[in-house]
Amino acid sequence: MLAYFLLIPDAFALTGRAGPPQFAAPAAHLFRAIAELLQYGLDHLHPLHRTLVVAGAIGGLVIAGAERLAPRAARWLPSAAGLGLGLFLPLSTSLAMGIGAAIAAIATARRSDVAERHVWPISAGLLGGESLAGVVVAVVNNFMQ
Protein backbone atom coordinates (compact mmCIF):
# COMPACT_ATOMS: atom_id res chain seq x y z
CA MET A 1 0.00 0.00 0.00
CA LEU A 2 2.83 2.39 0.84
CA ALA A 3 4.49 1.68 -2.51
CA TYR A 4 1.25 2.56 -4.32
CA PHE A 5 0.98 5.91 -2.55
CA LEU A 6 4.65 6.65 -3.24
CA LEU A 7 4.22 5.94 -6.95
CA ILE A 8 0.69 7.26 -7.46
CA PRO A 9 -0.26 9.92 -4.90
CA ASP A 10 -3.33 10.97 -6.93
CA ALA A 11 -5.51 8.31 -8.56
CA PHE A 12 -6.71 10.82 -11.17
CA ALA A 13 -3.16 10.78 -12.60
CA LEU A 14 -4.02 7.34 -14.01
CA THR A 15 -7.20 8.40 -15.80
CA GLY A 16 -6.31 11.92 -16.88
CA ARG A 17 -9.51 13.52 -15.53
CA ALA A 18 -7.54 16.47 -14.18
CA GLY A 19 -5.47 16.90 -17.36
CA PRO A 20 -3.39 14.56 -19.50
CA PRO A 21 -2.68 11.23 -17.78
CA GLN A 22 0.77 11.02 -16.19
CA PHE A 23 0.75 7.24 -16.47
CA ALA A 24 -0.79 6.66 -19.87
CA ALA A 25 -0.72 2.84 -19.46
CA PRO A 26 -1.57 2.03 -23.07
CA ALA A 27 -2.00 -1.65 -22.27
CA ALA A 28 -4.61 -0.80 -19.63
CA HIS A 29 -6.59 1.22 -22.16
CA LEU A 30 -6.37 -1.60 -24.68
CA PHE A 31 -7.60 -4.15 -22.14
CA ARG A 32 -10.46 -1.81 -21.25
CA ALA A 33 -11.38 -1.60 -24.94
CA ILE A 34 -11.26 -5.40 -25.23
CA ALA A 35 -13.48 -5.76 -22.15
CA GLU A 36 -15.99 -3.30 -23.64
CA LEU A 37 -15.89 -5.21 -26.93
CA LEU A 38 -16.68 -8.45 -25.10
CA GLN A 39 -19.39 -6.76 -23.05
CA TYR A 40 -21.18 -4.83 -25.81
CA GLY A 41 -20.18 -6.71 -28.96
CA LEU A 42 -19.05 -5.53 -32.39
CA ASP A 43 -22.18 -3.40 -32.88
CA HIS A 44 -20.88 -0.97 -30.24
CA LEU A 45 -17.72 -0.22 -32.27
CA HIS A 46 -17.22 2.55 -34.82
CA PRO A 47 -17.73 1.14 -38.35
CA LEU A 48 -14.05 1.63 -39.25
CA HIS A 49 -12.93 -0.18 -36.09
CA ARG A 50 -15.36 -3.00 -36.86
CA THR A 51 -13.81 -3.35 -40.33
CA LEU A 52 -10.29 -3.34 -38.88
CA VAL A 53 -11.17 -6.02 -36.31
CA VAL A 54 -12.53 -8.27 -39.05
CA ALA A 55 -9.49 -7.57 -41.29
CA GLY A 56 -7.11 -8.39 -38.43
CA ALA A 57 -8.92 -11.62 -37.66
CA ILE A 58 -8.88 -12.65 -41.33
CA GLY A 59 -5.18 -11.73 -41.60
CA GLY A 60 -4.33 -13.82 -38.53
CA LEU A 61 -6.30 -16.78 -39.88
CA VAL A 62 -4.60 -16.51 -43.28
CA ILE A 63 -1.11 -16.44 -41.73
CA ALA A 64 -1.88 -19.33 -39.36
CA GLY A 65 -3.48 -21.33 -42.19
CA ALA A 66 -0.53 -20.70 -44.51
CA GLU A 67 1.86 -21.92 -41.80
CA ARG A 68 -0.09 -25.19 -41.56
CA LEU A 69 -0.71 -25.73 -45.26
CA ALA A 70 2.74 -24.72 -46.54
CA PRO A 71 5.30 -25.57 -43.83
CA ARG A 72 8.20 -24.70 -46.16
CA ALA A 73 6.85 -21.16 -46.60
CA ALA A 74 6.27 -20.76 -42.85
CA ARG A 75 9.89 -19.74 -42.43
CA TRP A 76 9.22 -16.58 -44.45
CA LEU A 77 5.85 -15.71 -42.89
CA PRO A 78 5.55 -13.44 -39.88
CA SER A 79 4.37 -15.08 -36.70
CA ALA A 80 0.65 -14.36 -36.26
CA ALA A 81 1.11 -14.07 -32.49
CA GLY A 82 4.19 -11.88 -32.90
CA LEU A 83 2.42 -9.63 -35.37
CA GLY A 84 -0.56 -9.32 -33.02
CA LEU A 85 1.71 -8.40 -30.12
CA GLY A 86 3.58 -5.94 -32.30
CA LEU A 87 0.33 -4.15 -33.08
CA PHE A 88 -0.91 -4.39 -29.49
CA LEU A 89 2.19 -3.15 -27.66
CA PRO A 90 3.52 0.40 -27.82
CA LEU A 91 6.08 1.17 -30.54
CA SER A 92 8.90 1.58 -28.02
CA THR A 93 8.36 -1.94 -26.69
CA SER A 94 8.05 -3.50 -30.14
CA LEU A 95 11.15 -1.66 -31.33
CA ALA A 96 13.16 -2.77 -28.30
CA MET A 97 12.08 -6.38 -28.84
CA GLY A 98 13.04 -6.18 -32.53
CA ILE A 99 16.46 -4.70 -31.80
CA GLY A 100 17.07 -7.31 -29.09
CA ALA A 101 16.07 -10.12 -31.44
CA ALA A 102 18.42 -8.79 -34.13
CA ILE A 103 21.31 -8.57 -31.66
CA ALA A 104 20.58 -12.11 -30.44
CA ALA A 105 20.48 -13.42 -34.03
CA ILE A 106 23.81 -11.77 -34.84
CA ALA A 107 25.37 -13.14 -31.63
CA THR A 108 24.05 -16.62 -32.39
CA ALA A 109 25.39 -16.49 -35.95
CA ARG A 110 28.85 -15.48 -34.76
CA ARG A 111 29.27 -17.64 -31.64
CA SER A 112 26.30 -19.87 -30.94
CA ASP A 113 27.87 -21.52 -27.89
CA VAL A 114 28.41 -18.18 -26.11
CA ALA A 115 25.04 -16.80 -27.26
CA GLU A 116 23.22 -19.88 -25.97
CA ARG A 117 24.58 -19.29 -22.48
CA HIS A 118 24.31 -15.50 -22.34
CA VAL A 119 21.38 -14.21 -24.43
CA TRP A 120 18.59 -15.20 -22.00
CA PRO A 121 20.27 -13.87 -18.82
CA ILE A 122 21.23 -10.60 -20.50
CA SER A 123 17.70 -10.18 -21.91
CA ALA A 124 16.13 -10.86 -18.53
CA GLY A 125 18.49 -8.40 -16.87
CA LEU A 126 17.66 -5.69 -19.39
CA LEU A 127 13.92 -6.22 -18.93
CA GLY A 128 14.23 -6.15 -15.16
CA GLY A 129 16.47 -3.09 -15.27
CA GLU A 130 14.04 -1.24 -17.51
CA SER A 131 11.17 -2.02 -15.14
CA LEU A 132 13.15 -0.87 -12.10
CA ALA A 133 14.20 2.30 -13.92
CA GLY A 134 10.53 3.05 -14.63
CA VAL A 135 9.68 2.68 -10.94
CA VAL A 136 12.59 4.92 -9.93
CA VAL A 137 11.54 7.57 -12.45
CA ALA A 138 7.95 7.48 -11.14
CA VAL A 139 9.11 7.88 -7.52
CA VAL A 140 11.50 10.71 -8.41
CA ASN A 141 8.81 12.49 -10.44
CA ASN A 142 6.40 12.33 -7.50
CA PHE A 143 8.93 13.77 -5.07
CA MET A 144 9.97 16.54 -7.49
CA GLN A 145 6.44 17.96 -7.77
Side-chain angles (χ1 to χ4, degrees), residues 47-57:
L48 176 63
H49 296 165
R50 206 174 312 143
T51 303
L52 292 173
V53 166
V54 171

Side-chain angles (χ1 to χ4, degrees), residues 1-79:
M1 195 70 144
L2 176 64
Y4 175 82
F5 286 115
L6 284 175
L7 293 173
I8 306 168
D10 179 18
F12 289 117
L14 295 173
T15 61
R17 289 187 188 169
Q22 290 176 324
F23 305 100
H29 294 294
L30 288 171
F31 280 119
R32 187 192 85 212
I34 291 170
E36 288 177 357
L37 175 66
L38 293 174
Q39 182 178 4
Y40 301 117
L42 286 175
D43 294 336
H44 186 70
L45 290 176
H46 185 276
L48 176 63
H49 296 165
R50 206 174 312 143
T51 303
L52 292 173
V53 166
V54 171
I58 290 171
L61 288 172
V62 166
I63 291 172
E67 287 176 353
R68 293 277 185 164
L69 297 174
R72 295 172 119 188
R75 177 179 178 176
W76 303 105
L77 292 173
S79 163

Side-chain angles (χ1 to χ4, degrees), residues 76-98:
W76 303 105
L77 292 173
S79 163
L83 189 60
L85 278 174
L87 295 172
F88 181 70
L89 296 172
L91 177 63
S92 61
T93 304
S94 298
L95 188 61
M97 288 171 37

